[in-house]
Amino acid sequence: MSIPRGSQVQKRFSSFMRKGLLEVPSPAEKDWPKDDEDDYVFVDLGQEVDSLPQPYRMINKMVNLLFDKCWEVIQERDALRDVEFSRTQPTTYPPLVENKLNKMPNCMAISQDYVFIGGAKGFSIYNLYNAKRIYIWEKLKVDVTSIWATDLGNEILIAPVDEMGIARLFYFNKDGLFLIKAINEVDDASKQTTCIKMEMSQGGDFAAFLLQGAGDIWLDVYKLPKESWLKEVEHPQPAINPKKKRQPQPNTLEPVTSENLEMDMNVCFRGDIKLSLPVHIMKIKPPKPVTGTTFKSPLEVFAKVEDYYGLGSGQNHFIKDSQWEQLAAIFLAPHQKYLDKEWEEEPPSMATFHFLLPSSIITMPVEVKGPSGVACVLGIHWAGSHNFFLYSLHRTLKDKVGFPLGVIALPKGCSCQSIHFLKYFLVHKGQNMYPESPLKSHMKCVVLCTDSSLYLVTAKRTQGPTISVLVERPIKHLDEAICAVAPVLALPGMLLIFSKNGSVQLMDVAKPQIICAFALPRTYHLAVPWKPLFAVSVQHPCFLLRGDHPDEIESDDTKNIQNSVFYFNLEAYPLLENISRNHTIPETDMTENMAFAQVLPLEKRCESFLQKRFQKLEKKVKEQEHWTRLRRYSLLLQRENFRK
């Protein structure tokens, strides 16, 4: 924005001006530049501009700055588009089945051949393959916000959590749906606690609930009597209170028989059947701040360390208050000027916990007898703490149960957001494969950090743990930041990666590289890309992903909105057919290969060594017997010849 000077006068003056800067000529005439018509330019003095007065000069600068910023954004997007076109894009596969729902799904879980979808006032059960609804349980006043499901063999344990933070346990089989218990529901609303998070062990032997209430937080651990449930379902006992008249069960619901609902099996809610309650075995609270010792002797310190095992926990020590004060004074002397600001210490408010199997990190003692797939230790990491605590799930043991394989630090500036344990796999002939028998003292896990970087941590036996980068932190393209990951346990070493731009990719963590990608139909997208709603099957190589239609999201008619859940079957895609068909290493191949033989348990290696030794001795004995027979036959021939 400027004002032409020539607009204020009637006469305009023109002149020729030399291009470039004027210079002082040299004394020697021979060095003078020769004049050329191209060195001059015609300038109309009337077209010169005057500087604008304030505030228009500031507005002019702001407008020019805005144009410059817009041009930088345009150039950055063009460069990004060129990079996208030049980059090798992975093969993208569409979903196989679309399941349209009448209500908005808040959460999903997969177990066996069933899908459990939590929504308004309850949850629904669907068939995984044909998307037919089997049963619907809607007897709550609030919505279900999260749901878990685990396989118990022929039965399934379901754990929904509603908006009030109340967790419930359901037992589901071919005969019906049974309500076991509302874990944290109380009659007095002032004493109501909230379930923040929960986990169930593989096989459904244990369950842990992270509860919060009255300004406190703790973890309740239960042992689940699934053997008793199986007997009680086969021989049901009615739940009748002799002191009160039998009232209709508030949660009793008859099977849904709507005309538009196709039933896959005859399922009904059995509210009149009483099942055994879970057994509370532990209540774990966050670690307290380290203070002076209250023990009188070191023997009391060692006697206290019974229930959990952590590296450098500092909870049981023999340091007195006076020693803490001396150390604090030594530290504050040079650093007091940097600590004048008041820092409010926040107590740990969240916990990440995992049920660990004997074949993962912990080895079970000889005296403990039980199936190999039963969890034996609960590992807990509290937010704000640098320790990973291991709690024994077998409280009767007096000896230590298990040990950590090692301690590894994440790179500087990285904080752990989530940990995902992988089933240990080996690379055999260029393909990821599971050993035929589970391995002990071997572990692989994927760590997602808060800066969206992704790492693979491996630990085995006495070797130190190793860490490798799978995906680096995004610097320029922040929309490619990872927001969630999920292992595909049915396929060795495969990991689903969900990014903030809505992309879903499958990564092979052993290479590491992207195998393929998955995309919703063009008319659908993820309403909240940084928090996708998905569920991955443990038994089958498949996953579910919720898709939202833009027109339906903006619609005010919530009753007629169709919400879709899309089904992706990894076995149906060409690039993954070979991986899904053959992913187990026979034990014979592992014993013959020296590299794989080292990962076998000591018993297996000794057995293999003795078998090979025995085979060699047997072969040697047979060879000796063969030569002995030949010598005897030769002696007999010599005797016959001598007689003749």
Side-chain angles (χ1 to χ4, degrees), residues 301-313:
V301 178
F302 291 110
K304 185 67 177 178
V305 184
E306 293 180 355
D307 296 337
Y308 63 86
Y309 310 98
L311 289 181
S313 63

Side-chain angles (χ1 to χ4, degrees), residues 78 84 92 259 290-291 342 379 387 390 413 434 463 494:
D78 289 340
E84 290 293 333
T92 304
E259 294 179 359
V290 179
T291 57
E342 294 184 359
N387 305 311
L390 303 177
Y434 287 135
Q463 300 181 10
M494 296 298 165

Side-chain angles (χ1 to χ4, degrees), residues 395-455:
R395 303 280 295 189
T396 58
L397 299 179
K398 296 182 179 179
D399 298 330
K400 290 186 178 182
V401 182
F403 55 90
L405 293 177
V407 179
I408 194 166
L410 293 174
K412 186 178 180 180
C414 294
S415 299
C416 177
Q417 177 178 340
S418 61
I419 302 175
H420 306 268
F421 285 90
L422 304 176
K423 188 177 178 181
Y424 196 84
F425 65 91
L426 300 169
V427 181
H428 181 54
K429 298 180 180 179
Q431 183 177 347
N432 301 342
M433 305 185 77
Y434 287 135
E436 192 173 12
S437 57
L439 302 179
K440 295 182 179 180
S441 303
H442 288 72
M443 183 276 298
K444 288 185 179 182
C445 68
V446 174
V447 180
L448 177 62
C449 297
T450 53
D451 62 352
S452 298
S453 59
L454 193 65
Y455 297 90

